[in-house]
Amino acid sequence: MSTLYDQYKTTLQKHADIEHSIAILQWDKEVNAPTKGSDMRARQLATLSGMAHELMTDNAFGDLLQQLDEKSDQLAFAQAKNIKGSLKEYQREKKYSTDFVMRRSRVVSNTYDAWLKAREANDYKLYKEALKQMVELKIEETEVLGYDGHPYNALIEEFEPGAKVADIDKLFTDVRQRLVAFAAQLKE
């Protein structure tokens, strides 16, 4: 069993190495890279994002996760939880094509660059088209993932598993009511 779990850890370590490389390149793009190098850096980030996606959605990795999940009673509690979480993430990520992941990476990079230019020039028009592309991509992503009820339910799962828009609406309705009253008190 430990050999299978070691294989799992090795795959996650490779994935972490790629993700950390992405983070460093992203940081460099935002802090050091010249503006004219932005397209090349966006392409590099997209390539690495595609590699990370392929590694984590490889059928062999899925088989390994399935084997480990079937024998989860032989694993330590934390290991079994890791496998459950990874299997859930694997199933979610399998819905994306590598092309989509790479395109998403490029759109995110381009949107960020457009936002920087628009902010500097104080001109929303410089950001409008990139933002439109980002919104269209997110709409496409909801269709790729599938959803029940509100389309944002598909996207929120990544950040708040199990949450639904209806739950969040209730929360923010309550928060808004309290904040409006509190703000009125502060004004007085």
Side-chain angles (χ1 to χ4, degrees):
M1 179 57 64
S2 66
T3 304
L4 288 177
Y5 197 80
D6 288 340
Q7 289 174 22
Y8 162 75
K9 286 189 338 186
T10 298
T11 302
L12 289 187
Q13 287 166 345
K14 286 180 185 177
H15 183 260
D17 289 345
I18 295 170
E19 290 293 332
H20 291 136
S21 297
I22 289 170
I24 290 169
L25 288 175
Q26 185 67 41
W27 171 82
D28 181 63
K29 178 182 179 294
E30 294 176 13
V31 175
N32 294 319
T35 306
K36 290 183 181 179
S38 185
D39 285 339
M40 180 174 51
R41 184 66 82 224
R43 188 185 72 240
Q44 293 164 344
L45 290 164
T47 298
L48 287 173
S49 294
M51 291 170 63
H53 175 74
E54 288 173 350
L55 179 66
M56 295 308 286
T57 59
D58 184 77
N59 290 335
F61 184 61
D63 292 343
L64 176 64
L65 289 171
Q66 197 62 50
Q67 288 175 28
L68 285 163
D69 188 51
E70 289 168 3
K71 299 176 182 181
S72 62
D73 60 333
Q74 299 172 30
L75 295 171
F77 177 77
Q79 291 174 328
K81 290 286 282 183
N82 288 343
I83 296 302
K84 287 277 185 218
S86 292
L87 188 55
K88 183 178 179 182
E89 185 64 21
Y90 171 82
Q91 291 163 344
R92 179 180 170 89
E93 289 297 316
K94 271 305 248 191
K95 294 177 182 181
Y96 298 113
S97 68
T98 301
D99 177 63
F100 179 86
V101 169
M102 293 175 70
R103 192 164 41 91
R104 180 178 60 191
S105 176
R106 291 293 296 257
V107 168
V108 167
S109 288
N110 293 340
T111 302
Y112 178 77
D113 292 340
W115 174 76
L116 286 177
K117 290 174 188 166
R119 184 183 68 174
E120 180 70 27
N122 196 26
D123 185 358
Y124 169 73
K125 290 180 216 141
L126 296 174
Y127 182 56
K128 185 177 179 179
E129 184 57 33
L131 180 60
K132 179 182 176 203
Q133 289 176 12
M134 177 63 83
V135 170
E136 288 170 355
L137 181 94
K138 288 299 178 181
I139 291 169
E140 180 183 348
E141 188 171 1
T142 65
E143 297 300 324
V144 167
L145 291 171
Y147 58 88
D148 184 30
H150 196 283
Y152 190 63
N153 288 339
L155 301 177
I156 201 167
E157 182 65 24
E158 180 180 352
F159 304 102
E160 194 64 41
K164 302 289 183 217
V165 169
D167 302 327
I168 293 170
D169 283 346
K170 288 177 194 171
L171 172 73
F172 281 108
T173 298
D174 182 50
V175 168
R176 182 175 187 202
Q177 289 171 350
R178 292 172 190 249
L179 282 178
V180 169
F182 181 64
Q185 284 178 339
L186 289 177
K187 266 187 170 180
E188 290 175 10

